Coordinates of all heavy atoms in Angstrom, one line a residue:
V171 N -8.8 -22.3 35.2 CA -9.4 -23.6 35.6 C -10.6 -23.2 36.4 O -10.5 -22.4 37.4 CB -8.4 -24.4 36.5 CG1 -9.1 -25.6 37.0 CG2 -7.2 -24.8 35.6
P172 N -11.8 -23.8 36.1 CA -13.0 -23.4 36.9 C -13.0 -23.9 38.3 O -12.3 -24.8 38.7 CB -14.1 -24.2 36.1 CG -13.5 -24.7 34.9 CD -12.0 -24.7 35.1
I173 N -13.7 -23.2 39.1 CA -14.0 -23.6 40.5 C -15.1 -24.6 40.5 O -16.1 -24.5 39.8 CB -14.3 -22.4 41.3 CG1 -13.2 -21.4 41.4 CG2 -14.7 -22.8 42.8 CD1 -13.6 -20.1 42.0
N174 N -15.0 -25.6 41.4 CA -16.0 -26.6 41.4 C -17.3 -26.2 42.1 O -17.3 -25.1 42.7 CB -15.5 -27.9 42.2 CG -16.1 -29.2 41.6 OD1 -17.1 -29.1 40.9 ND2 -15.6 -30.3 42.0
V175 N -18.3 -27.0 42.0 CA -19.6 -26.6 42.7 C -19.4 -26.6 44.2 O -18.5 -27.2 44.7 CB -20.7 -27.6 42.3 CG1 -21.0 -27.6 40.8 CG2 -20.4 -29.0 42.7
G176 N -20.3 -25.9 44.9 CA -20.2 -26.0 46.3 C -21.5 -26.7 46.9 O -22.5 -26.9 46.2
Q177 N -21.4 -27.1 48.2 CA -22.5 -27.6 48.9 C -23.2 -28.8 48.1 O -24.4 -28.9 48.1 CB -23.5 -26.6 49.2 CG -22.9 -25.5 50.1 CD -23.9 -24.3 50.3 OE1 -25.0 -24.4 49.9 NE2 -23.4 -23.2 50.9
F178 N -22.3 -29.7 47.6 CA -22.9 -30.8 46.8 C -23.4 -31.9 47.7 O -22.6 -32.4 48.6 CB -21.7 -31.4 45.9 CG -22.2 -32.4 44.9 CD1 -22.9 -32.0 43.8 CD2 -21.8 -33.8 45.0 CE1 -23.3 -32.9 42.8 CE2 -22.2 -34.6 44.1 CZ -22.9 -34.3 43.0
T179 N -24.6 -32.2 47.7 CA -25.2 -33.2 48.5 C -26.0 -34.2 47.7 O -26.5 -33.9 46.6 CB -26.2 -32.6 49.5 OG1 -27.3 -32.0 48.9 CG2 -25.5 -31.6 50.5
A180 N -26.1 -35.5 48.2 CA -26.8 -36.6 47.6 C -27.6 -37.2 48.7 O -27.0 -37.8 49.7 CB -25.9 -37.5 46.9
V181 N -28.9 -37.1 48.7 CA -29.8 -37.6 49.8 C -30.8 -38.6 49.2 O -31.5 -38.4 48.2 CB -30.6 -36.4 50.5 CG1 -31.5 -37.0 51.5 CG2 -29.6 -35.4 51.0
Q182 N -30.9 -39.7 49.9 CA -31.8 -40.8 49.5 C -33.3 -40.4 49.8 O -33.5 -39.8 50.9 CB -31.5 -42.1 50.1 CG -32.5 -43.2 49.7 CD -32.1 -44.6 50.4 OE1 -31.1 -44.7 51.1 NE2 -33.0 -45.5 50.2
S183 N -34.2 -40.6 48.9 CA -35.6 -40.4 49.0 C -36.3 -41.6 48.5 O -36.5 -41.6 47.2 CB -36.0 -39.1 48.4 OG -37.4 -38.9 48.5
G184 N -36.6 -42.6 49.2 CA -37.1 -43.8 48.7 C -36.1 -44.5 47.8 O -35.0 -44.7 48.3
S185 N -36.4 -44.8 46.6 CA -35.4 -45.4 45.7 C -34.8 -44.3 44.8 O -34.0 -44.7 43.9 CB -36.1 -46.5 44.8 OG -37.1 -45.9 44.0
D186 N -35.0 -43.0 45.0 CA -34.5 -41.9 44.3 C -33.2 -41.4 45.1 O -33.1 -41.6 46.3 CB -35.4 -40.8 44.1 CG -36.7 -41.2 43.4 OD1 -36.7 -42.2 42.7 OD2 -37.7 -40.4 43.5
I187 N -32.4 -40.7 44.4 CA -31.3 -39.9 45.0 C -31.6 -38.4 44.5 O -31.7 -38.2 43.3 CB -29.9 -40.3 44.6 CG1 -29.7 -41.8 45.0 CG2 -28.9 -39.4 45.1 CD1 -29.5 -42.0 46.5
V188 N -31.6 -37.6 45.5 CA -31.8 -36.1 45.2 C -30.5 -35.4 45.4 O -29.9 -35.5 46.5 CB -32.9 -35.5 46.2 CG1 -33.1 -34.0 45.9 CG2 -34.2 -36.3 46.1
L189 N -30.0 -34.8 44.3 CA -28.7 -34.1 44.3 C -29.0 -32.6 44.3 O -29.8 -32.1 43.5 CB -27.9 -34.5 43.2 CG -27.5 -36.0 43.1 CD1 -27.8 -36.6 41.7 CD2 -26.1 -36.2 43.5
N190 N -28.2 -31.9 45.1 CA -28.3 -30.4 45.1 C -26.9 -29.9 45.2 O -26.0 -30.5 45.8 CB -29.1 -29.9 46.4 CG -30.6 -30.2 46.3 OD1 -31.2 -29.4 45.5 ND2 -31.1 -31.1 47.0
W191 N -26.7 -28.7 44.6 CA -25.4 -28.0 44.6 C -25.6 -26.6 44.3 O -26.6 -26.1 43.9 CB -24.4 -28.7 43.6 CG -24.9 -28.6 42.2 CD1 -24.6 -27.6 41.3 CD2 -25.7 -29.5 41.5 NE1 -25.2 -27.8 40.1 CE2 -25.9 -29.0 40.2 CE3 -26.3 -30.7 41.8 CZ2 -26.6 -29.6 39.2 CZ3 -27.0 -31.3 40.8 CH2 -27.2 -30.8 39.5
K192 N -24.5 -25.8 44.6 CA -24.4 -24.4 44.2 C -23.4 -24.2 43.1 O -22.2 -24.6 43.3 CB -24.0 -23.6 45.4 CG -25.0 -23.6 46.5 CD -26.3 -22.9 46.1 CE -27.3 -22.9 47.3 NZ -28.6 -22.5 46.9
N193 N -23.8 -23.6 42.0 CA -22.8 -23.3 40.9 C -21.9 -22.3 41.3 O -22.2 -21.4 42.1 CB -23.6 -22.9 39.7 CG -24.4 -24.0 39.0 OD1 -24.0 -25.2 39.1 ND2 -25.5 -23.7 38.4
P194 N -20.7 -22.3 40.8 CA -19.7 -21.2 41.1 C -20.2 -19.9 40.4 O -20.9 -19.9 39.4 CB -18.4 -21.7 40.4 CG -18.8 -22.7 39.3 CD -20.1 -23.3 39.9
T195 N -19.8 -18.8 41.1 CA -20.2 -17.5 40.6 C -19.1 -16.9 39.8 O -18.4 -15.9 40.2 CB -20.7 -16.6 41.7 OG1 -19.6 -16.5 42.7 CG2 -22.0 -17.1 42.4
L196 N -18.8 -17.5 38.6 CA -17.8 -17.0 37.8 C -18.3 -16.5 36.5 O -19.3 -17.0 35.9 CB -16.8 -18.1 37.5 CG -16.1 -18.8 38.7 CD1 -15.3 -20.0 38.2 CD2 -15.2 -17.8 39.3
E197 N -17.7 -15.4 35.9 CA -18.2 -14.9 34.7 C -18.1 -15.9 33.5 O -18.9 -15.9 32.6 CB -17.5 -13.6 34.3 CG -17.8 -12.4 35.2 CD -17.1 -11.2 34.8 OE1 -16.7 -11.1 33.6 OE2 -17.0 -10.3 35.6
D198 N -17.1 -16.7 33.6 CA -16.9 -17.7 32.5 C -17.5 -19.1 32.7 O -17.2 -20.0 32.0 CB -15.4 -17.8 32.1 CG -14.5 -18.3 33.3 OD1 -15.0 -18.5 34.4 OD2 -13.3 -18.5 33.1
F199 N -18.4 -19.2 33.7 CA -19.0 -20.5 34.0 C -20.0 -20.8 32.8 O -20.7 -20.0 32.3 CB -19.9 -20.3 35.3 CG -20.8 -21.5 35.5 CD1 -20.4 -22.7 36.0 CD2 -22.2 -21.3 35.3 CE1 -21.3 -23.8 36.2 CE2 -23.1 -22.4 35.5 CZ -22.6 -23.6 35.9
A200 N -19.8 -22.1 32.4 CA -20.7 -22.5 31.3 C -21.8 -23.5 31.7 O -22.9 -23.3 31.5 CB -19.8 -23.2 30.2
Y201 N -21.4 -24.6 32.3 CA -22.3 -25.6 32.8 C -21.7 -26.6 33.7 O -20.5 -26.7 33.9 CB -23.0 -26.3 31.6 CG -22.0 -27.1 30.7 CD1 -21.7 -28.4 31.0 CD2 -21.4 -26.5 29.6 CE1 -20.9 -29.1 30.1 CE2 -20.6 -27.1 28.8 CZ -20.3 -28.5 29.1 OH -19.5 -29.2 28.2
V202 N -22.6 -27.4 34.3 CA -22.1 -28.5 35.2 C -22.5 -29.8 34.5 O -23.6 -29.9 33.9 CB -22.9 -28.4 36.6 CG1 -22.6 -29.6 37.4 CG2 -22.4 -27.1 37.3
R203 N -21.6 -30.8 34.6 CA -22.0 -32.2 34.2 C -21.8 -33.1 35.3 O -20.8 -33.1 36.0 CB -21.0 -32.6 33.0 CG -21.3 -34.0 32.6 CD -20.3 -34.5 31.5 NE -20.7 -33.8 30.2 CZ -20.0 -33.8 29.2 NH1 -18.8 -34.4 29.1 NH2 -20.4 -33.1 28.1
V204 N -22.9 -33.8 35.7 CA -22.9 -34.8 36.8 C -22.8 -36.2 36.2 O -23.7 -36.5 35.4 CB -24.2 -34.6 37.7 CG1 -24.2 -35.6 38.8 CG2 -24.2 -33.2 38.2
L205 N -21.9 -36.9 36.7 CA -21.7 -38.3 36.3 C -22.0 -39.2 37.5 O -21.8 -38.9 38.6 CB -20.3 -38.6 35.9 CG -19.9 -38.4 34.4 CD1 -20.0 -36.9 34.1 CD2 -18.6 -38.9 34.1
R206 N -22.6 -40.4 37.1 CA -22.9 -41.4 38.1 C -22.2 -42.7 37.8 O -22.0 -43.1 36.6 CB -24.4 -41.7 38.1 CG -24.9 -42.8 39.0 CD -26.3 -43.2 38.8 NE -26.5 -43.8 37.5 CZ -27.5 -43.5 36.7 NH1 -28.5 -42.7 37.1 NH2 -27.6 -44.0 35.5
S207 N -21.8 -43.4 38.9 CA -21.2 -44.8 38.7 C -21.6 -45.6 39.9 O -21.7 -45.1 41.0 CB -19.6 -44.6 38.6 OG -19.1 -45.9 38.5
H208 N -21.7 -46.9 39.7 CA -21.8 -47.8 40.8 C -20.5 -48.5 41.2 O -20.5 -49.3 42.1 CB -22.9 -48.8 40.5 CG -22.6 -49.7 39.4 ND1 -22.7 -49.4 38.1 CD2 -22.1 -51.0 39.4 CE1 -22.3 -50.3 37.3 NE2 -21.9 -51.4 38.1
L209 N -19.4 -48.1 40.5 CA -18.1 -48.7 40.8 C -17.2 -47.8 41.7 O -16.2 -48.3 42.2 CB -17.4 -49.0 39.4 CG -18.2 -49.8 38.4 CD1 -17.4 -49.8 37.1 CD2 -18.4 -51.2 39.0
G210 N -17.6 -46.6 42.0 CA -16.8 -45.7 42.7 C -17.0 -44.2 42.2 O -17.6 -44.1 41.2
F211 N -16.5 -43.3 42.9 CA -16.6 -41.9 42.4 C -15.9 -41.7 41.1 O -14.8 -42.0 41.0 CB -16.0 -40.9 43.5 CG -16.8 -40.9 44.7 CD1 -16.4 -41.5 45.9 CD2 -18.0 -40.1 44.8 CE1 -17.1 -41.5 47.0 CE2 -18.7 -40.1 45.9 CZ -18.3 -40.8 47.1
P212 N -16.6 -41.1 40.1 CA -16.0 -40.8 38.8 C -14.9 -39.8 39.0 O -15.1 -38.7 39.6 CB -17.2 -40.2 38.0 CG -18.4 -40.8 38.6 CD -18.1 -40.9 40.1
E213 N -13.7 -40.1 38.5 CA -12.6 -39.2 38.6 C -12.4 -38.4 37.3 O -11.8 -37.4 37.4 CB -11.3 -40.0 38.9 CG -11.2 -40.6 40.3 CD -9.9 -41.3 40.6 OE1 -8.9 -40.7 40.3 OE2 -10.0 -42.5 41.0
Y214 N -12.8 -39.0 36.2 CA -12.7 -38.3 34.9 C -14.0 -38.2 34.2 O -14.9 -39.0 34.6 CB -11.7 -39.1 34.0 CG -10.4 -39.3 34.7 CD1 -10.0 -40.5 35.4 CD2 -9.4 -38.3 34.7 CE1 -8.8 -40.7 36.0 CE2 -8.2 -38.5 35.4 CZ -7.9 -39.7 36.0 OH -6.7 -39.8 36.7
I215 N -14.1 -37.4 33.2 CA -15.4 -37.2 32.5 C -15.9 -38.4 31.8 O -16.9 -38.4 31.3 CB -15.4 -36.0 31.6 CG1 -14.3 -36.1 30.6 CG2 -15.2 -34.7 32.5 CD1 -14.3 -35.1 29.5
T216 N -15.0 -39.5 31.7 CA -15.4 -40.7 31.0 C -15.7 -41.9 32.0 O -15.9 -43.0 31.5 CB -14.3 -41.1 30.0 OG1 -13.1 -41.3 30.7 CG2 -14.1 -40.1 28.9
D217 N -15.7 -41.6 33.3 CA -15.8 -42.7 34.3 C -17.2 -43.0 34.7 O -17.4 -43.9 35.6 CB -15.1 -42.2 35.6 CG -13.6 -42.4 35.4 OD1 -13.1 -42.9 34.5 OD2 -12.9 -41.9 36.4
G218 N -18.2 -42.6 34.0 CA -19.6 -42.9 34.4 C -20.6 -42.5 33.4 O -20.3 -42.0 32.4
A219 N -21.9 -42.6 33.8 CA -23.0 -42.2 33.0 C -23.3 -40.7 33.3 O -23.4 -40.3 34.4 CB -24.2 -43.1 33.3
V220 N -23.5 -39.9 32.2 CA -23.9 -38.6 32.4 C -25.4 -38.6 32.8 O -26.2 -39.1 32.0 CB -23.7 -37.7 31.1 CG1 -24.3 -36.3 31.3 CG2 -22.3 -37.7 30.7
V221 N -25.7 -38.0 34.0 CA -27.1 -38.0 34.5 C -27.6 -36.6 34.4 O -28.8 -36.4 34.6 CB -27.2 -38.6 35.9 CG1 -27.0 -40.1 35.8 CG2 -26.3 -37.9 36.9
Y222 N -26.7 -35.6 34.3 CA -27.2 -34.2 34.2 C -26.1 -33.3 33.5 O -24.9 -33.6 33.7 CB -27.5 -33.6 35.5 CG -27.9 -32.1 35.5 CD1 -29.2 -31.8 35.1 CD2 -26.9 -31.1 35.6 CE1 -29.5 -30.5 35.0 CE2 -27.3 -29.8 35.5 CZ -28.6 -29.5 35.2 OH -28.9 -28.1 35.0
Q223 N -26.6 -32.4 32.7 CA -25.7 -31.4 32.1 C -26.5 -30.1 31.9 O -27.5 -30.2 31.2 CB -25.1 -31.9 30.8 CG -24.1 -30.8 30.2 CD -23.3 -31.4 29.1 OE1 -22.7 -32.4 29.2 NE2 -23.4 -30.7 27.9
G224 N -26.1 -29.0 32.5 CA -26.8 -27.8 32.4 C -26.3 -26.8 33.4 O -25.3 -26.9 34.0
T225 N -27.1 -25.8 33.6 CA -26.8 -24.7 34.5 C -27.7 -24.7 35.8 O -27.6 -23.8 36.6 CB -26.9 -23.3 33.9 OG1 -28.3 -23.1 33.4 CG2 -25.9 -23.1 32.7
G226 N -28.5 -25.7 35.9 CA -29.3 -25.9 37.1 C -28.5 -26.3 38.3 O -27.3 -26.5 38.3
E227 N -29.2 -26.4 39.5 CA -28.5 -26.8 40.7 C -29.2 -27.9 41.5 O -29.1 -28.0 42.7 CB -28.4 -25.5 41.6 CG -27.6 -24.4 41.0 CD -27.4 -23.2 41.9 OE1 -28.5 -22.7 42.4 OE2 -26.3 -22.7 41.9
R228 N -30.0 -28.7 40.7 CA -30.7 -29.8 41.4 C -31.0 -30.9 40.3 O -31.2 -30.7 39.1 CB -32.0 -29.3 41.9 CG -32.9 -30.4 42.5 CD -34.2 -29.7 43.1 NE -35.2 -30.7 43.4 CZ -35.2 -31.3 44.6 NH1 -34.4 -31.0 45.6 NH2 -36.2 -32.2 44.8
L229 N -31.0 -32.1 40.8 CA -31.3 -33.3 40.0 C -31.9 -34.4 40.9 O -31.5 -34.6 42.0 CB -30.0 -33.9 39.3 CG -30.0 -35.3 38.8 CD1 -30.8 -35.4 37.6 CD2 -28.7 -35.9 38.7
V230 N -32.9 -35.1 40.4 CA -33.5 -36.2 41.0 C -33.2 -37.4 40.1 O -33.7 -37.5 39.0 CB -35.0 -36.1 41.3 CG1 -35.5 -37.4 42.0 CG2 -35.2 -34.9 42.2
D231 N -32.3 -38.3 40.6 CA -32.0 -39.6 39.9 C -33.1 -40.6 40.3 O -33.0 -41.3 41.3 CB -30.6 -40.0 40.2 CG -30.0 -40.9 39.2 OD1 -30.7 -41.2 38.2 OD2 -28.8 -41.3 39.4
I232 N -34.1 -40.7 39.5 CA -35.3 -41.5 39.8 C -35.1 -43.0 39.7 O -34.6 -43.5 38.7 CB -36.5 -41.0 38.9 CG1 -36.8 -39.5 39.1 CG2 -37.7 -41.9 39.1 CD1 -37.8 -39.0 38.1
D233 N -35.5 -43.6 40.9 CA -35.5 -45.1 41.0 C -34.1 -45.8 40.8 O -34.0 -47.0 40.5 CB -36.5 -45.7 40.0 CG -37.9 -45.4 40.4 OD1 -38.2 -45.2 41.6 OD2 -38.8 -45.4 39.5
I234 N -33.0 -45.0 40.9 CA -31.7 -45.6 40.7 C -31.3 -46.7 41.7 O -30.7 -47.6 41.3 CB -30.6 -44.5 40.7 CG1 -29.3 -45.0 40.3 CG2 -30.5 -43.8 42.0 CD1 -29.2 -45.7 38.9
L235 N -31.8 -46.6 42.9 CA -31.5 -47.6 43.9 C -32.2 -48.9 43.7 O -31.9 -49.9 44.3 CB -31.8 -47.0 45.3 CG -30.9 -45.8 45.7 CD1 -31.4 -45.3 47.1 CD2 -29.5 -46.2 45.7
E236 N -33.2 -48.9 42.7 CA -33.7 -50.2 42.3 C -32.8 -51.0 41.5 O -32.9 -52.2 41.4 CB -35.1 -50.0 41.6 CG -36.1 -49.5 42.5 CD -37.5 -49.3 41.8 OE1 -37.6 -49.8 40.7 OE2 -38.4 -48.7 42.4
S237 N -31.8 -50.3 40.8 CA -30.8 -51.0 39.9 C -29.5 -51.1 40.6 O -28.8 -52.1 40.4 CB -30.7 -50.2 38.6 OG -32.0 -50.1 38.0
Y238 N -29.0 -50.1 41.3 CA -27.7 -50.0 41.8 C -27.7 -49.5 43.3 O -28.4 -48.5 43.5 CB -26.8 -49.1 41.0 CG -26.6 -49.5 39.6 CD1 -27.2 -48.8 38.6 CD2 -25.8 -50.6 39.3 CE1 -27.0 -49.2 37.3 CE2 -25.6 -51.0 38.0 CZ -26.2 -50.3 36.9 OH -26.1 -50.7 35.7
S239 N -26.9 -50.1 44.1 CA -26.7 -49.5 45.4 C -25.4 -50.1 46.0 O -25.2 -51.4 46.0 CB -27.8 -49.9 46.4 OG -27.6 -49.3 47.6
P240 N -24.4 -49.3 46.4 CA -24.5 -47.8 46.4 C -24.2 -47.3 45.0 O -23.8 -48.0 44.1 CB -23.4 -47.4 47.4 CG -22.4 -48.5 47.2 CD -23.2 -49.8 46.9
V241 N -24.5 -45.9 44.9 CA -24.1 -45.2 43.7 C -23.3 -44.0 44.1 O -23.4 -43.5 45.3 CB -25.4 -44.7 42.9 CG1 -26.0 -45.9 42.2 CG2 -26.4 -44.0 43.8
Y242 N -22.5 -43.5 43.2 CA -21.5 -42.5 43.5 C -21.7 -41.4 42.4 O -21.9 -41.7 41.2 CB -20.1 -43.0 43.4 CG -19.9 -44.1 44.4 CD1 -20.1 -45.4 44.0 CD2 -19.4 -43.9 45.7 CE1 -19.9 -46.5 44.8 CE2 -19.2 -45.0 46.5 CZ -19.4 -46.2 46.1 OH -19.2 -47.3 47.0
Y243 N -21.5 -40.1 42.8 CA -21.7 -39.0 41.8 C -20.5 -38.0 41.9 O -19.9 -37.9 43.0 CB -23.0 -38.2 42.2 CG -24.3 -39.0 42.1 CD1 -24.7 -39.7 43.2 CD2 -25.0 -39.0 40.9 CE1 -25.9 -40.5 43.1 CE2 -26.2 -39.8 40.8 CZ -26.6 -40.5 41.9 OH -27.7 -41.3 41.8
T244 N -20.2 -37.4 40.8 CA -19.2 -36.4 40.7 C -19.7 -35.3 39.8 O -20.3 -35.6 38.7 CB -17.9 -36.9 40.2 OG1 -17.4 -37.9 41.0 CG2 -16.8 -35.8 40.1
A245 N -19.6 -34.0 40.2 CA -20.0 -32.9 39.4 C -18.7 -32.3 38.8 O -17.7 -32.0 39.6 CB -20.7 -31.9 40.3
F246 N -18.7 -32.1 37.6 CA -17.6 -31.4 36.8 C -18.1 -30.1 36.3 O -19.1 -30.0 35.7 CB -17.2 -32.3 35.6 CG -16.5 -33.6 36.1 CD1 -17.3 -34.7 36.1 CD2 -15.1 -33.6 36.3 CE1 -16.7 -35.9 36.5 CE2 -14.6 -34.9 36.7 CZ -15.3 -36.0 36.8
V247 N -17.3 -29.0 36.5 CA -17.7 -27.7 36.1 C -16.9 -27.4 34.8 O -15.7 -27.6 34.8 CB -17.4 -26.6 37.2 CG1 -17.6 -25.2 36.6 CG2 -18.2 -26.9 38.4
Y248 N -17.6 -26.8 33.8 CA -17.0 -26.4 32.6 C -17.0 -24.9 32.5 O -18.1 -24.3 32.8 CB -17.7 -27.1 31.4 CG -17.5 -28.5 31.2 CD1 -18.1 -29.4 32.0 CD2 -16.7 -29.0 30.2 CE1 -17.9 -30.8 31.8 CE2 -16.5 -30.3 29.9 CZ -17.1 -31.2 30.8 OH -16.9 -32.6 30.6
D249 N -16.0 -24.3 31.9 CA -16.1 -22.9 31.7 C -16.3 -22.7 30.2 O -16.3 -23.6 29.4 CB -14.9 -22.1 32.2 CG -13.6 -22.5 31.5 OD1 -13.5 -23.0 30.4 OD2 -12.5 -22.1 32.1
V250 N -16.4 -21.4 29.8 CA -16.8 -21.1 28.3 C -15.6 -21.4 27.4 O -15.8 -21.5 26.2 CB -17.2 -19.7 28.2 CG1 -18.5 -19.4 28.9 CG2 -16.1 -18.7 28.6
F251 N -14.4 -21.7 28.0 CA -13.3 -22.0 27.1 C -13.0 -23.5 27.0 O -12.1 -24.0 26.4 CB -12.0 -21.4 27.7 CG -12.2 -19.9 28.0 CD1 -12.3 -19.4 29.2 CD2 -12.1 -19.0 26.9 CE1 -12.5 -18.0 29.4 CE2 -12.3 -17.7 27.1 CZ -12.5 -17.2 28.4
G252 N -14.0 -24.4 27.7 CA -13.8 -25.8 27.6 C -13.0 -26.4 28.7 O -12.7 -27.6 28.7
N253 N -12.5 -25.6 29.7 CA -11.7 -26.1 30.8 C -12.6 -26.8 31.7 O -13.8 -26.4 31.9 CB -11.0 -25.0 31.5 CG -10.0 -24.3 30.7 OD1 -9.1 -24.9 30.0 ND2 -10.0 -23.0 30.6
I254 N -12.1 -27.9 32.4 CA -12.9 -28.6 33.3 C -12.4 -28.5 34.7 O -11.1 -28.6 34.9 CB -13.0 -30.1 32.9 CG1 -13.5 -30.2 31.5 CG2 -13.8 -30.9 34.0 CD1 -13.3 -31.6 30.9

């Protein structure tokens, strides 16, 4: 089972949300998928909109606060075997 991201932050910048995190340092790390919801924190990979998927450690969710406030984010870590 993969280790989750570390130091996950979401900071408002005008109508944007700036997300930052640290990826786990595991040999079998594949990618991070960040989900967004305005209904509450996504608990499962089907609980919101995918706003990022990759190996980076930053995302700017542009102008999201013009449509939804508050918004909630969850980062899911995937390993090369498909474990979440």
